[in-house]
Amino acid sequence: MTTTAQTTTALITGASTGIGARYAQRLAERGYDLVLVARNQQRLEQVAARLRAETGRKVDILVADLTQGADLRRVEERLASDASITLLLNNAGLGATASMLDSSVDDLDRMIALNVTALTRLTRAVVPCLVARGQGTIINISSIAAVAPEVLNGTYGGSKAFVLALTQSLQHEVGAKGIRVQAVLPGATATEFWDHAGVPVAHLPQEIVMPVNDMVDAALAGLDQGEVITIPALPDSADWDSFENARRALGPNLSHTRPAPRYIAALPDAA
């Protein structure tokens, strides 16, 4: 990632710990000023103070619960009004390991509000500004659950599949307008996510758990290499290419005037 003498600012959600805090460090080291967004003011202030001291960058904090309308609108307004913001990192998210039957509807609703609604609104707030300037970056933290929904709570997997689809659509829409778009699909990562999701990370098979620093550094390497989809643990990118090619191959046959022949015999007027 290159920077210029012009001030560039990255706004990072979920920035008080884990993946967001590591991104904040790495982006500050790359020359970005920062706007850090999270609910926990004390943690935000600690991260901001450390990064100011270590990197000399300007670091602002926005204390906000993105599931609350008024807080979400404040962050949207910052994205739409701050001309220095050239990178949005949609990292804030909620997960769950319990099945739908064992989950409360309020918990599922809150997950959708954060993982889907807030991410969409923040992206929509910044995209017109980036397009008008002809440059910028949007990084969306998805999950391997986007393509493997059986591994965790289905609502979580569905919300992350939405993030993946939105990113791919954005690439199609604004990729030629100077905007870099990336979805990152981490596997199990050593963060507090798992404690909140209901299974402490120590209870997972440790051979599948990636240290958070390695995950973020790999994701940034993928961004530097121009990847739209980055799966930090995937050894061979050709596997993703094969997956995508198979999906795209469905395209010509997804919409026709008549049902597929295997369904014709079941139609009421088939006789």
Side-chain angles (χ1 to χ4, degrees):
M1 186 181 306
T2 60
T3 58
T4 68
Q6 181 181 358
T7 300
T8 57
T9 301
L11 187 144
I12 303 170
T13 67
S16 62
T17 188
I19 291 171
R22 179 61 172 182
Y23 263 107
Q25 179 182 345
R26 285 307 200 207
L27 292 174
E29 291 170 351
R30 290 178 174 220
Y32 282 89
D33 290 339
L34 303 173
V35 179
L36 307 181
V37 180
R39 291 181 300 163
N40 190 312
Q41 181 171 351
Q42 182 178 6
R43 281 188 169 183
L44 275 180
E45 290 175 344
Q46 291 171 347
V47 172
R50 175 175 57 82
L51 292 176
R52 292 185 195 112
E54 292 180 356
T55 68
R57 306 308 307 176
K58 177 183 176 184
V59 183
D60 293 342
I61 66 170
L62 275 178
V63 180
D65 180 343
L66 297 178
T67 67
Q68 301 301 310
D71 285 4
L72 179 57
R73 285 189 291 274
R74 284 194 296 111
V75 183
E76 289 179 86
E77 290 165 4
R78 180 64 179 265
L79 286 167
S81 64
D82 188 340
S84 75
I85 293 176
T86 59
L87 187 151
L88 169 63
L89 171 60
N90 281 309
N91 167 66
L94 286 172
T97 56
S99 68
M100 177 173 281
L101 289 176
D102 293 329
S103 302
S104 77
V105 69
D106 288 340
D107 287 344
L108 297 178
D109 189 57
R110 181 174 171 80
M111 186 189 304
I112 293 167
L114 184 57
N115 295 7
V116 174
T117 304
L119 181 143
T120 302
R121 291 182 64 106
L122 296 183
T123 302
R124 177 60 180 82
V126 80
V127 163
C129 309
L130 301 183
V131 170
R133 298 173 206 142
Q135 63 174 340
T137 303
I138 298 171
I139 303 171
N140 293 324
I141 304 301
S142 179
S143 166
I144 60 164
V147 293
E150 304 88 351
V151 300
L152 292 173
N153 176 281
T155 302
Y156 175 74
S159 73
K160 292 303 184 177
F162 173 89
V163 174
L164 174 60
L166 178 67
T167 304
Q168 291 172 307
S169 178
L170 271 176
Q171 171 64 22
H172 176 74
E173 185 176 347
V174 303
K177 300 181 186 293
I179 313 305
R180 288 188 299 177
V181 183
Q182 181 195 34
V184 180
L185 281 61
T189 308
T191 70
E192 295 178 3
F193 167 92
W194 292 97
D195 296 318
H196 300 308
V199 177
V201 71
H203 294 182
L204 298 176
Q206 291 307 291
E207 64 271 16
I208 71 168
V209 179
M210 186 176 293
V212 65
N213 291 355
D214 291 347
M215 196 290 291
V216 171
D217 290 349
L220 284 170
L223 181 70
D224 293 340
Q225 293 168 24
E227 292 184 348
V228 176
I229 310 301
T230 296
I231 304 176
L234 189 67
D236 190 346
S237 63
D239 291 341
W240 175 261
D241 294 338
S242 296
F243 180 88
E244 268 294 279
N245 289 337
R247 180 183 71 83
R248 291 177 184 275
L250 296 173
N253 287 311
L254 292 177
S255 184
H256 291 297
T257 58
R258 294 283 290 164
R262 67 183 179 280
Y263 303 128
I264 295 295
L267 296 179
D269 60 351

